Amino acid sequence: MNFGRFWTVFSYDFSYNRKRPFYWIWLVLLAWNAWLMSMGAWIIRSIDTAVGTEKSFVNSEFQIAFVFALMPVLLLGLFMAIAAGTPLIRDVQQKIGEILHTTPLRPAEYIVGKFTAAIASSLAVLALFLIILILLNEVIPNPAATDIHGPFRLRNYLMPAVVFFLPVLFFIAGIC
């Protein structure tokens, strides 16, 4: 596989994805969910004090994992299917098949470039979501909800994202 041709396909699709309103709408929905999480709307209320506190901290790994386990079903699946499936539909509409057969670009380079661009664009949206979530929980927390914020640990955000977001992201992108 020629890296230069792969990079051309990847960079074109990645830069195209940055301009698509779809990704910005997805980011706005995720930012809204981050705001809801920081406000304590997405929280499991503990009724047993044996857990250690009366309320779960909104930035605890358990609480974030609870929300991140639901989000792939509610938001990630639909948006990832659109992100990974529409480039192929767009290419059929633009008649890329004829161009693909007249250039030295191999189908494997083309497909891997498209797939990698869709994954990288989606990972960028999820990384921005995590940054917004950390900012809303740790840097500018809600003053009315200070009793439900615990100490900052980066692992509390990264581990649930790796466990719940990445497998769904790659699975749905691979299917589409």
Side-chain angles (χ1 to χ4, degrees):
M1 180 172 352
N2 185 329
F3 183 74
R5 292 189 295 242
F6 157 78
W7 182 254
T8 302
V9 172
F10 170 80
S11 61
Y12 172 76
D13 253 34
F14 189 75
S15 65
Y16 178 78
N17 289 342
R18 284 186 321 180
K19 300 172 195 164
R20 288 179 68 189
F22 158 76
Y23 284 98
W24 296 105
I25 292 168
W26 187 13
L27 182 61
V28 167
L29 282 172
L30 289 175
W32 178 64
N33 276 289
W35 179 73
L36 287 175
M37 288 175 70
S38 72
M39 297 292 286
W42 277 89
I43 192 166
I44 300 173
R45 302 277 181 206
S46 175
I47 57 172
D48 184 11
T49 56
V51 176
T53 61
E54 291 183 12
K55 297 178 183 174
S56 298
F57 290 136
V58 294
N59 59 346
S60 69
E61 186 175 358
F62 174 74
Q63 184 61 43
I64 292 172
F66 164 71
V67 177
F68 283 10
L70 295 174
M71 285 180 81
V73 175
L74 300 174
L75 286 174
L76 190 63
L78 170 70
F79 283 96
M80 194 59 228
I82 294 169
T86 57
L88 300 175
I89 296 169
R90 185 183 77 233
D91 289 347
V92 168
Q93 291 171 346
Q94 295 175 344
K95 299 185 187 322
I96 298 294
E98 289 82 10
I99 296 171
L100 185 64
H101 297 299
T102 60
T103 64
L105 181 67
R106 295 190 183 120
E109 295 163 343
Y110 173 76
I111 291 170
V112 171
K114 291 281 187 182
F115 181 77
T116 308
I119 291 288
S121 300
S122 300
L123 286 175
V125 168
L126 292 177
L128 287 172
F129 162 67
L130 285 175
I131 290 169
I132 292 169
L133 181 61
I134 290 170
L135 284 174
L136 290 175
N137 273 339
E138 310 299 338
V139 179
I140 49 172
N142 180 14
T146 56
D147 60 330
I148 58 173
H149 287 279
F152 172 70
R153 290 189 182 91
L154 187 60
R155 182 184 195 278
N156 291 354
Y157 296 92
L158 295 180
M159 189 57 73
V162 167
V163 170
F164 292 107
F165 284 164
L166 290 183
V168 172
L169 184 123
F170 280 99
F171 178 73
I172 293 174
I175 288 175
C176 292

